[in-house]
Amino acid sequence: MNSESSSHPSSLAHLDGECIVRWVGLEMALDGGRAVVTDETVVTGLAGDSPVVWAHPDVPFWQFSGVYIERGDGLHFRLFAEDADDRPNGLLLARTEGVPEPVEEAPGSLYRTRVLEHLPTGVARLSVLRQGPGGAVLDASLEISGQVIRLLCGEMYLREDGSFEMVSPNESVLVQLNGMRPDCAG
C-alpha cells in the first residue's frame, strides 16, 4: 500500500498497471466569465462579463486544474501540473482521501467539477512521451482498453486574434482521448 499523502506529490508510475475505475475533473474554462480584464476594465475599474467558453473547435483538449482518479484498490489520487521556478515543472500525483462530487458551475464561474464519463476505465499502461529538466513528466499517455488518454502539462491561452495557443509547461492538465477532445472522440 502506498503511503503518499496529498502534501507529497509522487510519480505517475502509481497508475501504471493499475485499474482505474473513476475519473472526476476540476475543469477550467478556456475563456470568459466574471471579472474579465480588458484595457477598458483596467481604466474604469469595472469588471466585465463575457460568456464562459468550455470548448472550442480549435482546441482538441479538455483543460483542468486537477483530475481526480479512483483506482480499483480504493486509492484516490489528484493529477495536477506544477509550474514553479524553484521546482521541476510537470505532471504529478498526490494521494487524496476521496474524489470530489460533481458540482455545476455557478453563472460566470470559470471552474466546474464533473465526472469524466468519456474517459475509459480499466487497467492503465503508462507511457512517458516527453520529460523536462530534472526528469519532470510534461507529456504522458495512459492506454486503457485500446484507447489512449494523453495528459499534458500545459494551458490553452486565448490570443487577441481569437485563436488559441497551447503553452507548455504550465500549471493546468490538458486531456485528450485518441488525439481529440474526449467528448468528440467517439
Side-chain angles (χ1 to χ4, degrees):
M1 182 180 249
N2 189 329
S3 63
E4 300 288 324
S5 73
S6 59
S7 62
H8 300 289
S10 62
S11 158
L12 296 182
H14 290 284
L15 301 177
D16 191 32
E18 297 292 339
C19 183
I20 296 175
V21 297
R22 186 171 181 216
W23 301 86
V24 174
L26 177 55
E27 188 173 14
M28 186 171 80
L30 299 172
D31 186 41
R34 295 180 191 217
V36 175
V37 177
T38 65
D39 290 341
E40 182 181 330
T41 61
V42 170
V43 171
T44 65
L46 300 172
D49 284 348
S50 69
V52 175
V53 177
W54 296 106
H56 189 277
D58 296 338
V59 179
F61 301 98
W62 277 338
Q63 179 171 265
F64 297 97
S65 62
V67 176
Y68 293 83
I69 300 164
E70 181 177 346
R71 290 191 335 195
D73 60 5
L75 294 179
H76 301 95
F77 293 88
R78 180 176 63 99
L79 171 67
F80 63 100
E82 186 159 276
D83 183 27
D85 292 333
D86 61 339
R87 293 181 295 281
N89 302 323
L91 297 169
L92 298 167
L93 282 175
R95 279 277 307 275
T96 64
E97 292 300 315
V99 173
E101 290 301 316
V103 176
E104 287 293 320
E105 73 270 15
S109 175
L110 295 176
Y111 295 93
R112 64 183 178 185
T113 303
R114 64 191 186 110
V115 174
L116 306 179
E117 60 202 28
H118 295 288
L119 296 182
T121 55
V123 176
R125 293 290 170 220
L126 173 71
S127 295
V128 174
L129 305 174
R130 182 170 56 109
Q131 291 181 286
V137 175
L138 301 178
D139 190 350
S141 69
L142 292 172
E143 182 181 344
I144 300 174
S145 301
Q147 298 192 65
V148 178
I149 302 168
R150 184 173 176 204
L151 307 167
L152 289 148
C153 174
E155 194 163 314
M156 299 305 299
Y157 284 14
L158 178 64
R159 297 296 173 206
E160 286 187 24
D161 66 1
S163 66
F164 286 90
E165 175 185 359
M166 183 182 69
V167 177
S168 179
N170 211 300
E171 54 196 28
S172 294
V173 178
L174 300 175
V175 178
Q176 281 186 322
L177 179 61
N178 301 323
M180 300 188 310
R181 195 176 71 236
D183 54 352
C184 295

